[in-house]
Amino acid sequence: MTISTLLPSLPTIEGHSAQPDRVQQAVLEGIVANHGPETFLWINERRKTGTRIWYAWTDGGEPLGDRIDQVAVAAGLDAADWMHIADLHQRTSWRGRFETWAYPLRPVLAAVHGDERAPDYRRDGLRRVVQKAAERTGQQPRAGRLRWLGFGPIVVRQRKR
């Protein structure tokens, strides 16, 4: 995995580049190097002004993540299922102000193929959160299920929009 496959989660923010500076890049490269192949990394950089999120994939992770997303979407999985499956496989680590959520993708693929789904109470809870957020912002939530959030770069890039 090269650092060029990192995707910043945020568009350019006033006065800040979405690309990592030299120190951030060194830390991110070190984090990526500490994880095995076929892993999706969600890296939260905790800052005084908020959290910047970076996404990265180790060797083989990009095509496997995209494959997982294809299978999940074809099977009708949604955001609640994504959260449930992600929670089952998430490994959390810290390096300074960088918190990393690592998702080994082979077990994630097995869960998607094995019909792992979010329990009803979790799906209902997500609906309540979305409804409450809509009320607070004066918006109307979209009808239907919330879409799968993705483990591969194609869906993750779409999520950024």
Side-chain angles (χ1 to χ4, degrees):
M1 196 315 284
T2 62
I3 207 70
S4 64
T5 60
L6 276 168
L7 293 174
S9 68
L10 304 174
T12 301
I13 298 173
E14 223 31 78
H16 297 284
S17 168
Q19 295 303 311
D21 62 29
R22 288 186 326 206
V23 173
Q24 288 170 321
Q25 183 166 336
V27 172
L28 292 167
E29 286 176 351
I31 290 169
V32 171
N34 284 332
H35 290 86
E38 298 181 332
T39 302
F40 170 51
L41 302 171
W42 178 314
I43 305 167
N44 301 294
E45 179 188 7
R46 306 294 183 192
R47 305 155 52 111
K48 290 179 184 175
T49 57
T51 300
R52 175 174 271 168
I53 302 169
W54 304 92
Y55 303 116
W57 291 264
T58 61
D59 290 334
E62 292 180 34
L64 183 54
D66 287 338
R67 178 70 185 131
I68 290 166
D69 295 342
Q70 291 169 349
V71 172
V73 170
L77 275 68
D78 64 7
D81 299 316
W82 185 94
M83 287 193 246
H84 175 69
I85 292 169
D87 283 352
L88 292 175
H89 301 286
Q90 180 177 311
R91 298 178 187 156
T92 304
S93 61
W94 284 88
R95 182 171 177 185
R97 67 179 188 228
F98 292 82
E99 177 188 26
T100 302
W101 300 337
Y103 302 97
L105 295 175
R106 286 288 164 189
V108 169
L109 180 60
V112 169
H113 276 301
D115 294 324
E116 186 70 47
R117 301 295 182 266
D120 288 340
Y121 74 87
R122 186 155 199 188
R123 190 173 308 286
D124 294 341
L126 179 59
R127 282 190 199 111
R128 286 192 302 274
V129 167
V130 169
Q131 182 62 43
K132 187 58 77 176
E135 289 170 10
R136 289 187 177 190
T137 60
Q139 298 178 7
Q140 186 66 25
R142 292 181 185 164
R145 301 165 83 172
L146 297 173
R147 69 181 183 183
W148 176 259
L149 300 175
F151 286 99
I154 292 173
V155 174
V156 169
R157 282 185 184 109
Q158 291 172 351
R159 182 173 66 203
K160 287 176 41 180
R161 295 183 194 146

